[in-house]
Amino acid sequence: GALVYQYPRRTICKSGTSMRMECQAVGFQATSVAWYRQSPQKTFELIALSTVNSAIKYEQNFTQEKFPISHPNLSFSSMTVLNAYLEDRGLYLCGARSGSNERLFFGHGTKLSVL
Amino acid sequence: GDSVTQTEGLVTLTEGLPVMLNCTYQTIYSNPFLFWYVQHLNESPRLLLKSFTDNKRTEHQGFHATLHKSSSSFHLQKSSAQLSDSALYYCALSHYQLIWGSGTKLIIKP
């Protein structure tokens, strides 16, 4: 079956440092990967949408300079949170799918805590 | 722009009563895909239902929803709530990306 592995599951970093999270798609081709952040208030924000062979599209309030994303092939994507601060806390989710109208498969999420 | 509206932030019900969570949407696309995702505590969201066919009921795990393009709605229903249904429910619209609703927290009490 189709799965998305996301790691690490939890991470704690010091304020001002950076952390990287990765997603691995298994059983399907992840032509597009969406990175979301769920705030402590439980709302979802789309950070960026990455489609293989296309430019990564960042949503308003999110930039490549802060959240660089790599999507080098149809099974892997990574995102780094640079210079993390308290406002970056939350659950980061990657969702991958093989087509624009296919279901999104989510990883387990990476819970980021910032000290 | 496209949007998804879930009017209830919190729904509290007694076990055994029917569930209805509202979802309406706006989109310029004539053939959107609509989804319901469920997120249990400390878990990531998982797909519950999806539909793209007008006026066709889709069912899974006791829940059902019907996409009505005439009213731009995709309400989630269940005939009898169970304690294990307590979770966050998100309605989402898809064309090239997912547009999420704000979510409805469903609490089922004994």
Side-chain angles (χ1 to χ4, degrees):
Chain A
L3 290 171
V4 172
Y5 293 104
Q6 183 174 353
Y7 36 88
R9 295 286 295 270
R10 292 174 182 270
T11 187
I12 302 172
C13 64
K14 288 184 178 180
S15 182
T17 63
S18 301
M19 67 81 52
R20 171 184 155 113
M21 57 195 81
E22 300 179 347
C23 274
Q24 185 86 31
V26 176
F28 70 104
Q29 294 183 325
T31 57
S32 67
V33 175
W35 286 93
Y36 293 90
R37 179 172 69 193
Q38 187 180 37
S39 69
Q41 292 74 37
K42 302 300 182 186
T43 56
F44 280 104
E45 295 176 284
L46 176 64
I47 297 171
L49 179 68
S50 171
T51 304
V52 172
N53 297 325
S54 295
I56 298 171
K57 183 183 177 187
Y58 285 85
E59 293 297 295
Q60 195 172 14
N61 300 325
F62 297 97
T63 65
Q64 183 180 8
E65 290 71 30
K66 173 73 175 177
F67 299 96
I69 289 169
S70 172
H71 188 185
N73 55 52
L74 292 172
S75 63
F76 181 82
S77 180
S78 68
M79 184 177 76
T80 302
V81 181
L82 294 175
N83 300 317
Y85 289 99
L86 285 176
E87 59 266 27
D88 297 319
R89 293 172 302 166
L91 179 70
Y92 290 81
L93 287 166
C94 69
R97 53 184 174 168
S98 58
S100 60
N101 282 318
E102 295 298 319
R103 62 162 293 180
L104 212 64
F105 292 94
F106 282 100
H108 282 287
T110 297
K111 187 172 182 179
L112 173 62
S113 299
V114 180
L115 301 178
Chain B
D2 293 353
S3 65
V4 175
T5 301
Q6 292 179 250
T7 52
E8 309 107 342
L10 173 65
V11 172
T12 305
L13 292 170
T14 302
E15 187 180 17
L17 290 180
V19 177
M20 179 158 168
L21 306 184
N22 291 320
C23 173
T24 56
Y25 64 92
Q26 283 188 314
T27 180
I28 61 172
Y29 292 88
S30 56
N31 295 304
F33 278 62
L34 271 296
F35 301 82
W36 275 100
Y37 281 82
V38 58
Q39 184 180 20
H40 286 95
L41 191 62
N42 298 321
E43 296 180 8
S44 58
R46 62 175 177 82
L47 181 67
L48 183 58
L49 293 170
K50 84 169 187 178
S51 181
F52 61 91
T53 306
D54 197 14
N55 297 319
K56 181 179 178 182
R57 175 173 162 143
T58 182
E59 298 187 37
H60 185 61
Q61 296 184 338
F63 287 91
H64 63 92
T66 303
L67 176 60
H68 291 297
K69 293 184 180 180
S70 59
S71 57
S72 299
S73 66
F74 191 55
H75 304 318
L76 181 68
Q77 299 182 67
K78 187 176 185 182
S79 58
S80 175
Q82 297 176 290
L83 294 175
S84 58
D85 294 330
S86 295
L88 275 165
Y89 291 81
Y90 292 94
C91 184
L93 166 74
S94 173
H95 38 94
Y96 77 97
Q97 67 177 65
L98 269 182
I99 308 294
W100 292 90
S102 54
T104 299
K105 186 172 185 178
L106 178 63
I107 297 175
I108 307 300
K109 295 185 174 180

